[in-house]
Amino acid sequence: MISIDRPTADLGDVRVTNRAAVLRHVRRHAPCSRADVAAHTGLNKATVSSLVAELIEHGLLRETGLTENRVGRPATMLVLDGARYVGLGLRVGADELVAVAAGLGGDPVLTWRRAFPAATAGAEETVKALAALTRRAVTRVTGAERTVLGLTVAVPGLVDADGDVPAAPALGWRGVPLAAALRRALRDPGFPLTVDSEANLAVLAEQRHGPYAGTADLVHLTGGPVIGAGLISGGRLLRGSRGFAGDVGHLPLAADGPPCACGRRGCLTALLGVDAVIGRLLPDAGPVTDHLPEIERIQALARAGDEPVRTGLTEIGRLLGQAASVLAGLLDPDVVVVGGHLAALAPWLLPAAHAELAARTPVPPGVRLEASTLGSAAGALGGATAALATVEAGRLPAG
Ligand SMILES: [Zn+2]
């Protein structure tokens, strides 16, 4: 399990730590017996039995059928119990809101998308829309007799430890106290509410779900209007001193490149951001507020072998390979996963990106560069996962 909590002082409670160890073992090895848990966590059998009883009572583990174990005695197997609790995740995209509710076992209980022009609506209207979506999701979840343990909102931008958003250029936001505003709009929702960057939550989702789950050194490069990176190194999310680590959108890639909104030229975002990609490949598109249909047009043209589009995608892929090589040089990850429109266009981007990355890798084989399979829900799925973090860290749910 990776640690996503911001550092806290109370590390003293041994029982909490042991509960977390039991949950972690069951997450990785379910179905497994109490004896398996004891053997692999180093806890004695009586302690494991007591912890498991408590976790079953609180609806975090459940027993499944009997299975013969190696010495021939039947053992009751344990799995995570996803029936009682869910974490809720919301994602604010430039043109859509996404809500995901997921149980402790990672099973998505609900995935909703709602077209919403967050980039033009302004922060106040977006908070109202997020509050409405949260209320509907909570009603659905509690109607199914589950309890929401927490909500984490993914924002494409910089997010500090208080859940304030000092800057989210993809949304046109500056200095938005999002966590406080959403708490107010929900009139104390009765569960913890946090905000984190989309890149951080997307890399958490990748680390937990899908084909790269369990990778200890992992980078997720977000697609969208502004490129950001979520960084997991040695199993830990890297936040940096203010929480802004991975803000790579203005990494200079080409001194003579296209102008960037920041006033310089050739930044990563100005070359690989969704507006830059659409502008380059579909010069007739004009300013775009709904990106998906334009990305689908690019896919159709690429499939049909349109020469300018194919050539453009190859050049963009080469730049993506350069960006990946910078991240590889800094962090030496196993995998760099690309999301958003970069994942949608991966069949045409990745061959050139791989060649560029290989040419810049001093010692092969080096980092893998792959497309995310989680789609635009990645940030919201990561939010739902993050909302379950206190329980996964061994805290029992209240009530
Ligand atoms: Zn820039």
Side-chain angles (χ1 to χ4, degrees), residues 10 13-21 51 390 392-396:
D10 60 333
D13 191 337
V14 174
R15 198 165 174 87
V16 170
T17 310
N18 290 347
R19 255 187 235 124
L51 291 167
T390 55
E392 292 186 343
R395 305 269 168 209
L396 293 171

Side-chain angles (χ1 to χ4, degrees), residues 250 260 262 267:
H250 300 285
C260 181
C262 72
C267 299

Side-chain angles (χ1 to χ4, degrees), residues 3-397:
S3 168
I4 57 147
D5 281 337
R6 294 182 169 93
T8 54
D10 60 333
L11 300 166
D13 191 337
V14 174
R15 198 165 174 87
V16 170
T17 310
N18 290 347
R19 255 187 235 124
V22 172
L23 286 170
R24 191 160 57 240
H25 183 81
V26 177
R27 167 183 304 292
R28 287 191 186 150
H29 303 286
C32 58
S33 68
R34 287 167 176 79
D36 291 336
V37 175
H40 290 94
T41 57
L43 299 169
N44 71 50
K45 285 183 184 173
T47 302
V48 169
S49 285
S50 155
L51 291 167
V52 165
E54 188 182 44
L55 291 166
I56 289 173
E57 188 193 329
H58 284 85
L60 301 175
L61 291 183
R62 65 184 171 84
E63 291 181 332
T64 171
L66 296 175
T67 302
E68 293 293 312
N69 69 10
R70 276 190 298 270
V71 291
R73 277 176 54 218
T76 306
M77 304 305 266
L78 300 165
V79 294
L80 293 174
D81 188 349
R84 203 185 293 181
Y85 299 106
V86 298
L88 206 55
L90 297 180
R91 167 181 174 261
V92 186
D95 50 15
E96 67 171 4
L97 304 179
V98 183
V100 169
L104 200 58
D107 44 315
V109 172
L110 159 170
T111 304
W112 287 343
R113 281 190 181 74
R114 183 188 154 188
F116 181 82
T120 50
E124 205 172 311
E125 288 305 310
T126 304
V127 167
K128 278 187 203 162
L130 286 172
L133 194 58
T134 304
R135 280 190 214 100
R136 275 182 50 208
V138 170
T139 301
R140 172 69 65 89
V141 165
T142 52
E145 302 196 343
R146 293 171 186 248
T147 302
V148 176
L149 285 183
L151 164 65
T152 302
V153 185
V155 176
L158 303 179
V159 180
D160 71 16
D162 297 324
D164 291 350
V165 181
L171 305 176
W173 290 6
R174 286 197 84 81
V176 175
L178 181 60
L182 187 53
R183 262 184 225 119
R184 233 180 358 259
L186 290 167
R187 295 187 183 83
D188 183 19
F191 46 75
L193 185 165
T194 55
V195 179
D196 208 335
S197 76
E198 178 176 23
N200 284 348
L201 294 172
V203 79
L204 174 62
E206 299 289 355
Q207 215 273 344
R208 246 337 151 63
H209 310 279
Y212 319 109
T215 306
D217 293 274
L218 182 65
V219 172
H220 178 103
L221 207 55
T222 62
V226 176
I227 306 291
L231 316 168
I232 288 177
S233 182
R236 293 189 71 84
L237 186 67
L238 299 184
R239 290 191 178 280
S241 62
R242 296 170 300 164
F244 304 160
D247 183 33
V248 295
H250 300 285
L251 202 72
L253 278 190
D256 57 348
C260 181
C262 72
R264 288 173 286 270
R265 303 186 80 88
C267 299
L268 185 53
T269 287
L271 293 160
L272 295 181
V274 67
D275 296 300
V277 168
I278 291 171
R280 174 167 183 172
L281 300 177
L282 301 175
D284 63 329
V288 173
T289 50
D290 188 7
H291 297 110
L292 186 60
E294 305 304 327
I295 293 298
E296 285 172 350
R297 254 175 81 198
I298 294 171
Q299 289 172 321
L301 288 165
R303 265 188 222 107
D306 181 276
E307 201 48 45
V309 164
R310 288 278 192 121
T311 306
L313 285 166
T314 299
E315 281 163 22
I316 294 165
R318 210 172 288 138
L319 293 161
L320 177 60
Q322 281 182 29
S325 78
V326 174
L327 294 165
L330 281 172
L331 292 162
D332 188 25
D334 293 312
V335 190
V336 174
V337 183
V338 300
H341 67 288
L342 300 175
L345 300 174
W348 303 280
L349 296 177
L350 289 189
H354 287 152
E356 185 70 23
L357 184 56
R360 290 167 182 265
T361 301
V363 183
V367 60
R368 287 162 59 202
L369 179 62
E370 309 281 356
S372 174
T373 59
L374 301 178
S376 73
L381 179 60
T385 306
L388 296 168
T390 55
V391 166
E392 292 186 343
R395 305 269 168 209
L396 293 171

